[in-house]
Amino acid sequence: MEHWLWIILAALCCECKGEDKVTQTRADVTAAEGDVVTVDCTFESTYSGPTLFWYKQEGNDSPKYMLKCISTTVENAPEFPSDRFHATINGTSVPLTIKKLHLSDSAVYYCALQPTVTGNSTSLYKNLWSKDNTILHNVH
């Protein structure tokens, strides 16, 4: 009996001045256990050396960092070994390839572009406490 995996794609885009963006065009991918699947992600950046990230989100859990790509360098998180999870920046795309699919690979995958900042960045990050001073919110 074949087990089917559902991989949902979502774009996580951090925009600065509306010039940088990430796009994931396919809404979902269906594949069988053991297959190889590639999740597409394209981006636009005004920065000549962008940094892109991949995240995996299962159910209602927080997204988990998988890997980051800087130029020709790829750094995988320990729980996402490079022999199964790989991405490389190729022009304006950074496709994620997952080999030997497991049922546990069924998730939402996010591609994110590190924001680029020009000019005065001191006001980019502001810390705001909740009214009862129990939660610190980061606003970007």
Side-chain angles (χ1 to χ4, degrees), residues 29-84:
V29 175
T30 304
E33 196 169 13
D35 283 354
V36 175
V37 69
T38 299
V39 181
D40 294 321
C41 174
T42 59
F43 64 92
E44 293 177 31
S45 177
T46 55
Y47 183 59
S48 61
T51 301
L52 287 113
F53 301 88
W54 278 100
Y55 295 89
K56 175 184 179 182
Q57 184 175 19
E58 299 176 85
N60 291 326
D61 292 344
S62 298
K64 292 180 186 170
Y65 165 74
M66 297 176 63
L67 58 85
K68 80 174 171 182
C69 300
I70 307 168
S71 186
T72 58
T73 304
V74 179
E75 297 175 11
N76 286 55
E79 60 270 26
F80 296 98
S82 59
D83 63 332
R84 283 204 347 117

Side-chain angles (χ1 to χ4, degrees), residues 1 5 12-13 15 23 26 29 47-50 52 58 62 89 93 98 108 116 136-137 139-140:
M1 175 181 222
L5 294 97
L12 180 62
C13 179
E15 293 191 35
T23 306
R26 294 177 61 186
V29 175
Y47 183 59
S48 61
L52 287 113
E58 299 176 85
S62 298
I89 296 175
S93 72
I98 307 171
V108 177
T116 55
L136 177 65
H137 301 281
V139 178
H140 306 271

